[in-house]
Coordinates of all heavy atoms in Angstrom, one line a residue:
M1 N 5.7 12.2 11.9 CA 5.5 11.3 10.8 C 5.7 12.0 9.4 O 5.9 11.4 8.4 CB 4.0 11.1 10.8 CG 3.6 10.0 11.8 SD 3.5 8.3 11.1 CE 1.8 8.3 10.6
N81 N 10.1 -0.7 11.4 CA 9.6 0.6 11.9 C 8.4 0.4 12.7 O 7.3 0.4 12.3 CB 9.3 1.4 10.6 CG 9.1 2.9 10.9 OD1 9.5 3.3 12.0 ND2 8.5 3.5 10.0
L132 N 12.2 -2.4 0.1 CA 11.2 -1.7 0.8 C 11.8 -0.4 1.3 O 12.8 -0.4 2.1 CB 10.5 -2.5 2.0 CG 9.3 -1.8 2.7 CD1 8.4 -2.9 3.3 CD2 9.6 -0.8 3.8
A133 N 11.3 0.7 0.8 CA 12.0 1.9 1.1 C 11.0 2.9 2.0 O 9.9 3.1 1.6 CB 12.4 2.7 -0.1
C134 N 11.6 3.3 3.1 CA 10.8 4.3 3.9 C 11.0 5.7 3.4 O 12.2 6.0 2.9 CB 11.2 4.2 5.4 SG 10.4 5.4 6.4
E135 N 10.1 6.5 3.5 CA 10.3 8.0 3.1 C 11.3 8.7 4.0 O 11.8 9.7 3.6 CB 8.9 8.6 3.0 CG 8.3 9.1 4.4 CD 8.0 7.9 5.3 OE1 7.9 6.8 4.8 OE2 7.9 8.1 6.6
E136 N 11.6 8.0 5.1 CA 12.5 8.8 6.1 C 14.0 8.4 5.6 O 14.9 8.8 6.2 CB 12.3 8.2 7.4 CG 11.0 8.8 8.1 CD 10.6 8.2 9.4 OE1 11.4 7.7 10.1 OE2 9.4 8.2 9.5
G137 N 14.2 7.5 4.6 CA 15.5 7.3 4.2 C 16.1 6.0 4.2 O 17.0 5.7 3.5
W138 N 15.7 5.1 5.1 CA 16.3 3.8 5.2 C 15.5 2.8 4.3 O 14.3 3.1 3.9 CB 16.3 3.4 6.7 CG 15.0 3.5 7.4 CD1 14.7 4.6 8.1 CD2 13.9 2.6 7.3 NE1 13.3 4.4 8.5 CE2 12.9 3.2 8.1 CE3 13.7 1.4 6.8 CZ2 11.6 2.7 8.2 CZ3 12.4 0.8 6.9 CH2 11.4 1.4 7.6
W174 N -4.3 3.2 10.8 CA -3.6 2.8 9.6 C -4.5 2.2 8.6 O -5.0 1.1 8.7 CB -2.4 1.9 9.9 CG -1.2 2.6 10.3 CD1 -0.8 2.8 11.6 CD2 -0.2 3.1 9.5 NE1 0.4 3.5 11.5 CE2 0.8 3.7 10.3 CE3 0.1 3.1 8.0 CZ2 1.9 4.3 9.8 CZ3 1.2 3.7 7.6 CH2 2.1 4.3 8.5
L215 N 6.3 3.6 -2.2 CA 7.1 3.6 -0.9 C 6.5 2.8 0.2 O 5.4 2.4 0.2 CB 7.2 5.1 -0.4 CG 8.2 6.0 -1.2 CD1 8.1 7.4 -0.5 CD2 9.6 5.5 -1.2
G216 N 7.4 2.6 1.1 CA 7.1 1.6 2.2 C 5.8 1.8 2.9 O 5.1 0.9 3.4
Y217 N 5.3 3.0 3.1 CA 4.1 3.4 3.9 C 2.9 2.8 3.3 O 1.9 2.5 4.0 CB 4.0 4.9 4.3 CG 3.9 5.8 3.1 CD1 2.7 5.9 2.4 CD2 5.0 6.6 2.8 CE1 2.6 6.8 1.4 CE2 4.9 7.5 1.7 CZ 3.7 7.6 1.1 OH 3.6 8.6 0.0
K218 N 3.0 2.4 1.9 CA 1.7 1.8 1.4 C 1.6 0.4 1.7 O 0.5 -0.3 1.6 CB 1.8 1.9 -0.2 CG 1.8 3.3 -0.8 CD 0.5 4.1 -0.5 CE -0.7 3.8 -1.4 NZ -1.7 4.9 -1.3
Y248 N 2.0 12.4 3.6 CA 2.3 11.3 2.7 C 1.5 11.4 1.4 O 0.2 11.5 1.5 CB 2.2 10.0 3.2 CG 2.9 9.6 4.4 CD1 2.8 8.5 5.2 CD2 4.1 10.4 4.8 CE1 3.5 8.1 6.3 CE2 4.8 10.0 6.0 CZ 4.5 8.8 6.7 OH 5.3 8.5 7.8
Ligands
LIG2 MO1 8.0 4.9 6.3

Side-chain angles (χ1 to χ4, degrees):
M1 284 262 269
N81 190 17
L132 189 149
C134 175
E135 74 297 340
E136 286 168 33
W138 48 267
W174 276 93
L215 280 184
Y217 60 77
K218 298 293 282 192
Y248 296 168

